Amino acid sequence: MTFNDKFADVREAFIDSIGVLLKQIATLFGYPQNPGMKVSGVPLTGIEDRLTDARNLVDSLPLRKVPYPPIQRPETLTEMLFGTVPKVEPIPRVIYESTQDGYYNFYIENYRNIFFLPNWLSEFLQVRFNFCLDISYLEVFREILFLVIFGYAQLVSLRIALSWFISINPYTVPWIYLVAMIDWTEEAMMGVVPTIAGLNLTGTIVSILLGRFADSMNHLVFTMPFLPSEGQPAKALINEELREVLVFRYLPILWYRYPIPNEIREYWYNQRPDILKYMQKAYQNLDIQFLPDGVVEESNRTQWKEGITQLTEQTFLPTKEHFSTQILADTNFEQVGELQKSISFFTETIHDSFLQSFEKLG
């Protein structure tokens, strides 16, 4: 039996003991007669079945294994002499377009050890910082964070190796800078990590934790413009093999809760009218603005000008039909024509003043 098998047995025993403890605590509150707060419209057995199915699905998923530290694969002479820069190996997103599902669909392979940002954090990044379709800044930030953690883990390893050389005084230059950067972790964890056989294991444990955290960057998935909870389990044929995937498709929920970013709508209107036509047809029953703000404002301005023009013409521009028969009988047509010219001049003046006022407001 290997060490991992022994550790697995200890882990299962610990989980079982926690389960027994929770059941004993729950009996004080009437368990199992008191099943807790019920969900309206869904029976308790249905919720238990869903949880069981979700648990079985997670247990059946494979583990994604990425080597850490990253394998060195030099491609140039410089990389061969000085080494390659460690890089994150994220899960690839397969983007596809469909007239049924939409134009911003993608799916990823589903693994047991992948994780996502919380819904509230993903929504905050998309709404406040506009990380919607272009997530290059998030990917760069992940790369930098990975490099920082990896570099600090290497310094911790160097500090551990330095402690074995008793001929080197670590409190002299330049080693004192390394001590100042690393030994604060030992002071913070003092009294928590035990000393075994006279050896301080703080550096080793910190190195393991940093390695786990850096490796988790490989399994972090960004789901923009969707929320992580919008993923739907499905199956897809990948490399002639049927695998479990998570599919993100249809209309992102944030595009319904909040206005779609204007630059995306301008891109649809100017370069991809097929996407704009699909959105307007597929989601015509929803109160969503798919046209750019400039187009909508120009349309409103044109309608307003046409309404003002019609109003002024109907109000201030009389014809022969507006004059009474008595006036026409007592006045010759030359006088009527002069009167119409005066009224027309007055109408155009008012009309121009309306348009100038509207332009100042706009």
Side-chain angles (χ1 to χ4, degrees), residues 1 4 9 32 50 79 90 148 178 208 227 231-232 240 245 250 269 285 290 294 298 322:
M1 180 180 291
N4 290 334
D9 295 338
R50 292 182 184 180
E79 292 179 350
V148 170
L178 178 63
I208 293 174
L227 293 179
Q232 302 174 358
E240 299 182 356
V245 296
Y250 303 127
Y269 185 80
N285 296 328
F290 295 110
E298 183 65 25
H322 292 86

Side-chain angles (χ1 to χ4, degrees), residues 66-70 86 88 115 142-160 178 181-186 189 201-219:
V66 179
Y68 181 85
V88 178
F115 66 99
R142 176 170 58 182
E143 292 281 352
I144 295 175
L145 183 61
F146 178 80
L147 288 176
V148 170
I149 297 173
F150 180 81
Y152 194 79
Q154 297 302 312
L155 294 178
V156 172
S157 300
L158 179 61
R159 177 67 180 94
I160 295 174
L178 178 63
M181 294 176 61
I182 305 301
D183 283 10
W184 67 269
T185 58
E186 181 177 350
M189 301 181 66
L201 301 179
T202 302
T204 304
I205 293 177
V206 171
S207 180
I208 293 174
L209 293 177
L210 290 174
R212 294 288 294 179
F213 189 69
D215 181 63
S216 65
M217 295 292 101
N218 296 314
H219 312 300

Side-chain angles (χ1 to χ4, degrees), residues 63-328:
L63 284 173
R64 183 172 185 261
K65 298 181 180 180
V66 179
Y68 181 85
I71 299 176
Q72 298 286 330
R73 298 186 180 92
E75 298 179 356
T76 61
L77 180 61
T78 304
E79 292 179 350
M80 187 172 59
L81 294 176
F82 301 99
T84 59
V85 178
K87 296 181 180 179
V88 178
E89 297 184 13
I91 300 176
R93 304 198 315 176
V94 181
I95 302 174
Y96 70 95
E97 296 182 358
S98 171
T99 55
Q100 296 180 352
D101 297 347
Y103 287 83
Y104 292 97
N105 316 296
F106 69 90
Y107 66 86
I108 59 171
E109 291 191 48
N110 198 2
Y111 295 97
R112 195 188 313 172
N113 56 339
I114 64 174
F115 66 99
F116 310 89
L117 297 176
N119 271 357
W120 64 267
L121 181 55
S122 179
E123 180 177 348
F124 178 78
L125 293 175
Q126 295 186 57
V127 176
R128 298 300 180 184
F129 295 96
N130 202 20
F131 291 137
C132 187
L133 296 180
D134 186 10
I135 58 174
S136 56
Y137 288 105
L138 291 177
E139 294 175 346
V140 170
F141 176 77
R142 176 170 58 182
E143 292 281 352
I144 295 175
L145 183 61
F146 178 80
L147 288 176
V148 170
I149 297 173
F150 180 81
Y152 194 79
Q154 297 302 312
L155 294 178
V156 172
S157 300
L158 179 61
R159 177 67 180 94
I160 295 174
L162 184 65
S163 63
W164 290 94
F165 294 92
I166 59 177
S167 60
I168 299 178
N169 184 5
Y171 298 100
T172 58
V173 179
W175 311 111
I176 190 172
Y177 300 109
L178 178 63
V179 172
M181 294 176 61
I182 305 301
D183 283 10
W184 67 269
T185 58
E186 181 177 350
E187 297 175 359
M189 301 181 66
M190 185 178 299
V192 179
V193 179
T195 300
I196 301 177
L199 298 177
N200 187 1
L201 301 179
T202 302
T204 304
I205 293 177
V206 171
S207 180
I208 293 174
L209 293 177
L210 290 174
R212 294 288 294 179
F213 189 69
D215 181 63
S216 65
M217 295 292 101
N218 296 314
H219 312 300
L220 175 62
V221 180
F222 298 123
T223 61
M224 290 71 174
F226 298 88
L227 293 179
S229 59
E230 296 182 70
Q232 302 174 358
K235 294 182 182 294
L237 192 63
I238 302 176
N239 296 330
E240 299 182 356
E241 183 180 352
L242 193 62
R243 300 184 182 179
E244 297 285 345
V245 296
L246 281 177
V247 182
F248 297 84
R249 55 185 177 178
Y250 303 127
L251 181 72
I253 188 63
L254 292 182
W255 288 2
Y256 175 73
R257 295 178 181 174
Y258 303 93
I260 302 175
N262 188 54
E263 57 269 18
I264 297 178
R265 287 178 279 144
E266 289 182 349
Y267 171 73
W268 295 345
Y269 185 80
N270 298 321
Q271 302 184 28
R272 292 296 302 271
D274 54 332
I275 299 180
L276 178 60
K277 183 178 179 181
Y278 168 81
M279 291 292 183
Q280 291 176 334
K281 182 179 179 181
Y283 306 106
Q284 57 184 346
N285 296 328
L286 302 179
D287 186 17
I288 301 177
Q289 179 177 321
F290 295 110
L291 293 174
D293 293 339
V295 175
V296 175
E297 292 175 359
E298 183 65 25
S299 177
N300 295 336
R301 186 181 298 111
T302 303
Q303 293 178 2
W304 192 89
K305 288 182 179 180
E306 292 177 354
I308 291 297
T309 303
Q310 295 177 0
L311 179 62
T312 54
E313 288 179 353
Q314 294 175 1
T315 305
F316 299 106
L317 189 57
T319 59
K320 283 186 178 181
E321 297 177 354
H322 292 86
F323 292 102
S324 64
T325 56
Q326 182 66 30
I327 295 178
L328 292 177

